[in-house]
Amino acid sequence: MCTVLKIVFYMYGMRLTKEGNQNLDAYSNDNDLTLKTLSCEELEVLDKFINVPMILLNDKEVLYLNGGCLEVLGYEKGSLAEGKPLDLSKLIPDESSIEFISSVINSVISPVNHKFTMYNKCNVRRHFELKGEIVIYNSEKCILATLRDISYSKELESYIFRISELRRLMLEVTRLALEIDDIHQLFQLILEITLKCIEGGTVGTIMINKGDHFIVGSQVGFFDNIKDFKLPFEDAFLYRATNGKMDRIAIISDLMNSNKYYRIRTKYGEEIFIKSSLSAPIYVRGKLLGMINIDSIETNSFDEDDVKTMEFIRNYIEIIISNYLLYEEKCHLAKYDYLTQIYNRSCFEEKTGVILEDAVSCCESFNLIIFDINDLKEVNDSLGHLAGDEVIKKFASILKNNIRKTDIVGRLGGDEFVGVFFNTNKENLNKKFLNLLKKMESQTIMIRGKEIKCTFSYGIASFPEDGTTFKDLVSVADKRMYQFKKEYKAKL
């Protein structure tokens, strides 16, 4: 028996023996448990002197709530119909709890200890722990019990469990991110996991910042044509909810109140659109990468607990994406020249090694060309090395735009470039690059307010006639390039 009830029974003399006019077997369990009898007068005494939340109920009705119990449920004394039983299901929504109460009463299992939920005055569920005894009231078995509000501990327990599960899911995303080659696949994975974590969510998107508008990076629950959707910055729900700051998570409870509401079709029906949204900005290295939107086809689907969950997820998302981009950047730098964004020497030699092996085994041929920018030293001396870098970038861009997808080019270093060309011969390549050279001779580029001609010299070596190794081919092409440069300058 709980301590409070022990004191109550002792102070107010509730009979510890069975009433003489009752059938003794009716109120005993297999262990011959003696039930206490509670009279109406004794209940009035309890109501007057005991402030600890107490409740008297059977398996169908709540027969009594004292002042303390009314208070924890948000009611004032007298606000519920006094003296009139309440339907048990109106206060206790959980059918399993009602079944438990019925079971312990019918089986006379005492003392009673049970955790369950009840609705308060505002129709909000609160969690309680019930501890009591089975007693006889008005000749029927009931439970007289104290109630303890455990809502905070239950919410804390639920929060800890949710955070633990979220952390597990985010660690799984972190692991899977290492196996993903395309960042859009990463966005899709993040979005799908986030939708699982936000209970009110139905559909969702990750929108990517493109300067003055957003585009769809990934989506769940919409038709595929949303991929072509462009959303102006000022029309984004998050932008308007934060007065353009885009600095916090926002709940938009009813999107249809907006004067710029986009009716984007979901997969839930022809005329079923999103009606509420939970939107969070994603920042990477201090810059707005985009935003993640978890949407619902119902209004008022999200609350502050969802905001806390999203904040936790967002922190992980920003770290995961930042690490992914950093890894991707390192992989890119390992392959590409930082200035021109074409293959660096190391990567080009590696690819050429594979090409050579394939060419030998398949008896194929290809051509290697060395390119050298003319008069770059004069640009560096007169305008500085930054101007020289601009010339190098310009030439690399022209070169990339004048080769086929099957050909490859790289930067050997300084002003020297190299390319491998397939399915062609020296004559065609010579004609192609002479035409390109003439075109560049007739044009100028503007560097720091000064017009500069960007021209080049080149030399061609063929595999296998001029060599069977990368070193041999580069050596032959390099000599021919210097011969071309000498003859070219002689014509000027």
Side-chain angles (χ1 to χ4, degrees), residues 209 214 233-234 236-250 279-283 286-291 314:
N209 177 6
F214 292 102
F233 248 54
E234 61 274 11
F237 297 128
L238 181 62
Y239 183 92
R240 282 178 279 170
T242 59
N243 295 319
K245 294 181 180 179
M246 305 280 286
D247 59 351
R248 60 179 174 83
I249 297 171
S279 186
I282 301 172
Y283 282 86
K287 294 182 179 181
L288 180 68
L289 174 75
M291 59 184 177
R314 186 183 69 157

Side-chain angles (χ1 to χ4, degrees), residues 31 196 248 308:
N31 296 320
K196 289 181 181 178
R248 60 179 174 83
K308 292 177 184 177

Side-chain angles (χ1 to χ4, degrees), residues 395-462:
F395 176 73
S397 176
I398 293 171
L399 191 57
K400 283 190 292 184
N401 292 331
N402 283 274
I403 65 172
R404 298 167 300 180
K405 290 183 178 180
T406 54
D407 303 325
I408 61 171
V409 292
R411 186 183 179 194
L412 284 179
D415 58 356
E416 282 197 332
F417 295 79
V418 61
V420 170
F421 300 84
F422 304 92
N423 301 317
T424 187
N425 53 46
K426 284 183 182 179
E427 291 73 20
N428 288 336
L429 285 173
N430 193 48
K431 182 178 179 181
K432 174 185 177 73
F433 288 108
L434 280 176
N435 288 336
L436 179 60
L437 179 58
K438 289 177 180 178
K439 183 178 178 181
M440 293 176 67
E441 285 175 336
S442 64
Q443 299 174 349
T444 58
I445 60 174
M446 188 66 70
I447 302 290
R448 296 191 176 186
K450 186 175 180 180
E451 290 185 346
I452 297 173
K453 281 189 178 182
C454 179
T455 62
F456 64 94
S457 299
Y458 65 93
I460 304 174
S462 298

Side-chain angles (χ1 to χ4, degrees), residues 30-196:
D30 294 338
N31 296 320
D32 196 28
L33 175 68
T34 301
L35 301 182
K36 294 88 182 170
T37 301
L38 179 66
S39 67
C40 293
E41 292 78 14
E42 289 165 337
L43 193 57
E44 289 177 2
V45 173
L46 290 178
D47 189 54
K48 186 174 182 179
F49 291 103
I50 302 299
N51 289 324
V52 174
M54 297 188 71
I55 186 171
L56 179 68
L57 69 160
N58 58 29
D59 58 353
K60 294 182 179 63
E61 297 174 322
V62 177
L63 305 173
Y64 159 77
L65 294 167
N66 77 342
C69 195
L70 289 170
E71 184 178 340
V72 297
L73 290 172
Y75 293 97
E76 296 179 2
K77 192 170 182 180
S79 58
L80 294 176
E82 294 189 26
K84 293 183 178 180
L86 296 171
D87 186 344
L88 187 61
S89 63
K90 290 184 178 179
L91 283 182
I92 302 179
D94 185 5
E95 290 184 7
S96 63
S97 290
I98 295 178
E99 289 174 1
F100 171 82
I101 290 168
S102 177
S103 174
V104 297
I105 289 175
N106 292 329
S107 303
V108 195
I109 301 172
S110 192
V112 182
N113 192 332
H114 186 58
K115 294 177 181 178
F116 65 104
T117 58
M118 293 178 71
Y119 284 119
N120 66 10
K121 182 180 179 181
C122 300
N123 206 35
V124 175
R125 288 188 178 195
R126 301 290 294 172
H127 300 278
F128 291 95
E129 182 180 37
L130 177 148
K131 286 186 176 182
E133 297 279 345
I134 297 177
V135 300
I136 306 303
Y137 180 76
N138 287 342
S139 301
E140 68 173 320
K141 289 178 287 184
C142 302
I143 298 175
L144 177 64
T146 60
L147 287 181
R148 184 167 68 93
D149 190 337
I150 58 171
S151 298
Y152 176 77
S153 61
K154 286 288 289 185
E155 289 168 4
L156 182 60
E157 180 183 320
S158 175
Y159 176 75
I160 291 172
F161 174 80
R162 188 169 70 252
I163 291 300
S164 176
E165 183 65 8
L166 284 172
R167 183 177 287 111
R168 184 189 69 79
L169 289 171
M170 289 301 107
L171 289 174
E172 181 68 6
V173 174
T174 303
R175 183 186 68 80
L176 292 173
L178 299 175
E179 303 172 6
I180 291 174
D181 296 326
D182 183 355
I183 194 168
H184 289 91
Q185 293 178 3
L186 177 61
F187 290 154
Q188 190 68 25
L189 176 64
I190 287 170
L191 182 59
E192 290 172 358
I193 293 295
T194 305
L195 265 170
K196 289 181 181 178

Side-chain angles (χ1 to χ4, degrees), residues 313-376:
I313 293 171
R314 186 183 69 157
N315 290 336
Y316 264 93
I317 287 174
E318 291 180 342
I319 293 169
I320 290 168
I321 294 176
S322 180
N323 289 342
Y324 180 89
L325 292 175
L326 183 61
Y327 175 77
E328 195 176 55
E329 182 180 318
K330 286 182 177 179
C331 290
H332 183 84
L333 290 175
K335 295 180 179 180
Y336 295 91
D337 175 60
Y338 77 99
L339 183 63
T340 61
Q341 299 304 305
I342 61 176
Y343 289 126
N344 58 29
R345 179 167 186 157
S346 175
C347 182
F348 188 89
E349 287 186 14
E350 182 180 330
K351 286 187 174 294
T352 305
V354 175
I355 292 168
L356 281 166
E357 289 180 6
D358 291 343
V360 170
S361 62
C362 299
C363 298
E364 294 178 345
S365 63
F366 63 86
N367 293 280
L368 182 143
I369 304 181
I370 297 292
F371 302 91
D372 185 87
I373 300 173
N374 294 328
D375 302 321
L376 185 64

